[in-house]
Amino acid sequence: MPINNSFIRSWSHAKDDFAPVLPGLLNGGLRYCKVIYRTRHKECLLVTPEVSGLEYSVVFKRYAEKRFFRYFLRPSLAYREFLGFKLTADAGIPAAEVVALGEKRKFVKLEEAFFVTRYLEGFRDGNEFCQSECDAELKDEFIRRNLSYLAKLHKAGLVHGCFHPRNEMFKLDDGGKMEIVWIDLASVVSEKKSRRFSKEGDLQRFLCEFGLSAEKDAEYRAFYHSEYGKY
């Protein structure tokens, strides 16, 4: 899906099968969708086949932006998320499929932006491995698989910036094999361009969520560094 951004006018891009559905969603159709997550400036909606008429569900993320100068002649969070997804995929890390994105601008001012990804049917977020009663073997696999991907991202010269277990989705197939897909990648950026994020910050933010002993923390850090050396 080729993307051409504009900082001075409204624009949108969508996959071929989603493009005919997009106008109806933007013009009132989203009111029939379930809210997954909502904050002051952002909401995530689940668009099911019953609403869209497509064969799959999507997550429709909308950003309402009231601060004039923050995105004056600058890309929105939706476009930054698209770039993060592209950088992550280019590094060889599985990420959710991008379906559509766009911005609504009025006299240059950004009023709203949206970013749409395919819904990960059957996936759960990694926060369940932060609970004391979780499966220890699955937790170990989840942590190691994600640390391997993180090492790969870092070796490509990128930092994540929001590497939290809830942003790493997983599911088990019928044979018990774990599949992992990353979401929420708006903060992924080249380490050279980042003033806020670092490799160590990514590692620390991820590991601190699991309530690990000092020995386990050191073990996983050693694993990360061994993976980093492989790429």
Side-chain angles (χ1 to χ4, degrees):
M1 183 170 58
I3 306 298
N4 295 312
N5 193 13
S6 170
F7 302 152
I8 62 174
R9 61 177 64 89
S10 300
W11 59 271
S12 66
H13 295 273
K15 292 188 64 179
D16 290 345
D17 62 342
F18 194 76
V21 175
L22 182 58
L25 292 175
L26 293 174
N27 292 310
L30 290 174
R31 68 177 178 270
Y32 301 109
C33 301
K34 176 184 176 182
V35 176
I36 301 173
Y37 178 76
R38 178 179 285 156
T39 65
R40 182 181 176 186
H41 297 294
K42 180 177 73 173
E43 67 176 356
C44 296
L45 304 165
L46 177 61
V47 183
T48 62
E50 289 75 19
V51 174
S52 67
L54 299 173
E55 295 182 352
Y56 57 90
S57 298
V58 300
V59 176
F60 201 110
K61 188 181 297 184
R62 294 198 295 183
Y63 306 87
E65 186 50 64
K66 306 303 180 184
R67 291 162 288 186
F68 179 78
F69 288 105
R70 184 169 186 176
Y71 300 106
F72 179 72
L73 298 180
R74 296 177 61 196
S76 65
L77 281 174
Y79 187 70
R80 285 167 52 188
E81 184 128 32
F82 166 74
L83 294 178
F85 270 75
K86 186 177 186 304
L87 289 170
T88 301
D90 289 347
I93 299 163
E97 179 185 1
V98 179
V99 176
L101 68 154
E103 297 178 357
K104 180 182 178 182
R105 292 183 182 262
K106 185 176 182 180
F107 304 116
V108 182
K109 178 180 180 292
L110 177 66
E111 293 191 328
E112 189 178 71
F114 66 90
F115 185 77
V116 187
T117 56
R118 188 155 181 158
Y119 179 64
L120 297 172
E121 195 73 47
F123 279 77
R124 295 126 64 185
D125 74 62
N127 258 356
E128 69 177 69
F129 294 122
C130 300
Q131 311 305 316
S132 58
E133 66 274 11
C134 69
D135 185 292
E137 289 187 7
L138 290 178
K139 175 179 178 177
D140 181 72
E141 181 179 1
F142 178 82
I143 292 174
R144 290 178 184 274
R145 291 277 300 282
N146 277 293
L147 288 178
S148 180
Y149 285 142
L150 183 65
K152 196 171 187 179
L153 186 82
H154 288 169
K155 197 68 174 183
L158 305 169
V159 287
H160 191 292
C162 193
F163 199 61
H164 190 284
R166 67 173 175 268
N167 291 333
E168 287 79 60
M169 308 293 288
F170 79 97
K171 74 172 182 179
L172 304 177
D173 64 18
D174 293 339
K177 184 178 179 181
M178 182 180 292
E179 180 181 354
I180 292 174
V181 177
W182 286 9
I183 61 171
D184 289 342
L185 301 171
S187 57
V188 172
V189 67
S190 165
E191 186 179 27
K192 292 181 179 179
K193 296 181 179 179
S194 177
R195 297 179 180 179
R196 298 168 51 199
F197 308 129
S198 66
K199 295 184 178 75
E200 177 57 32
D202 284 345
L203 185 60
Q204 175 62 25
R205 181 163 190 173
F206 183 69
L207 291 178
C208 75
E209 297 292 333
F210 296 102
L212 302 170
S213 65
E215 291 76 15
K216 267 295 183 183
D217 183 86
E219 178 184 328
Y220 285 130
R221 287 175 181 273
F223 174 79
Y224 159 82
H225 289 295
S226 69
E227 291 293 290
Y228 186 87
K230 286 170 51 178
Y231 297 115

